[in-house]
Amino acid sequence: MTMWVFGYGSLLWNPGFEVAEQVVATLPGYARSFCMRSIHHRGSETHPGLVLALDEEPAHACEGVALAVKGGTEAETLAYLRDRELISSAYLERELDVDLIDGRRVTAVAYVINPGHVQYCGGLPLEEQAQIISSAVGGMGPNTEYLYNTAQHLTEIGLHDPDLEWLSQRVRALTS
């Protein structure tokens, strides 16, 4: 049985594991948003950045990609993802059904936000998000790089995210 992972942020452009197949997919009941303060990868404890997370919203659906893990590497992939995504308890690991653009429905590992966690910051106005992203830097680099790469890869696979597009333009203006 194939192990699938749902990518909606950095997994789009930096999965970090061997991908056997990549298919545009939709995860119903969740919205992609900059609702998690990053104190490790794209910010610090003294100057948190923002990273994307899946926020449970029943009326929404998040478009991203389903990544099929190369057969035989499932255990090491899951260990890698847990080290990467569960660095704090802000994300929760879930197995959720996603709809692939080709009509298949698969169960995928997805990392969703824990709204009760101190790093959760859902509902920030876009301008405030832009201000934070424009200046934060963490262990994996500038927060701007995370935003730009995610927005670019969504566009490359034909997905439209108006908030990320607006944020990309605004942050470029703030940093120029």
Side-chain angles (χ1 to χ4, degrees):
M1 188 147 170
T2 303
M3 177 183 165
W4 291 88
V5 177
F6 184 69
Y8 57 90
S10 63
L11 288 171
L12 295 168
W13 46 272
N14 182 25
F17 59 89
E18 292 190 66
V19 176
E21 181 181 7
Q22 177 176 314
V23 184
V24 171
T26 302
L27 173 62
Y30 288 86
R32 170 188 22 250
S33 68
F34 277 103
C35 64
M36 180 177 155
R37 295 196 190 279
S38 178
I39 58 172
H40 300 289
H41 296 318
R42 298 296 173 168
S44 65
E45 289 192 26
T46 56
H47 190 96
L50 293 174
V51 290
L52 294 164
L54 293 170
D55 210 354
E56 191 168 6
E57 294 189 25
H60 289 81
C62 178
E63 294 180 311
V65 294
L67 305 164
V69 175
K70 181 181 175 191
T73 67
E74 295 85 356
E76 68 189 62
T77 297
L78 194 55
Y80 163 77
L81 288 170
R82 287 175 174 163
D83 282 347
R84 171 181 167 163
E85 303 295 335
L86 303 178
I87 192 166
S88 71
S89 55
Y91 282 131
L92 303 171
E93 184 179 280
R94 297 286 184 255
E95 289 188 3
L96 301 169
D97 290 336
V98 297
D99 298 313
L100 307 187
I101 198 168
D102 61 17
R104 292 178 286 167
R105 174 171 270 197
V106 300
T107 300
V109 174
Y111 293 92
V112 305
I113 191 71
N114 173 357
H117 195 274
V118 67
Q119 287 175 255
Y120 177 70
C121 60
L124 291 177
L126 287 176
E127 179 61 30
E128 187 175 345
Q129 292 176 39
Q131 295 291 331
I132 293 167
I133 291 168
S134 69
S135 61
V137 178
M140 298 291 290
N143 209 168
T144 55
E145 176 186 73
Y146 176 91
L147 167 64
Y148 299 152
N149 280 335
T150 303
Q152 175 187 336
H153 282 78
L154 284 169
T155 299
E156 287 174 2
I157 60 174
L159 298 179
H160 178 63
D161 187 315
D163 286 353
L164 262 64
E165 292 166 12
W166 185 90
L167 281 167
S168 291
Q169 290 177 353
R170 180 65 180 132
V171 169
R172 285 186 199 286
L174 288 169
T175 59
S176 64

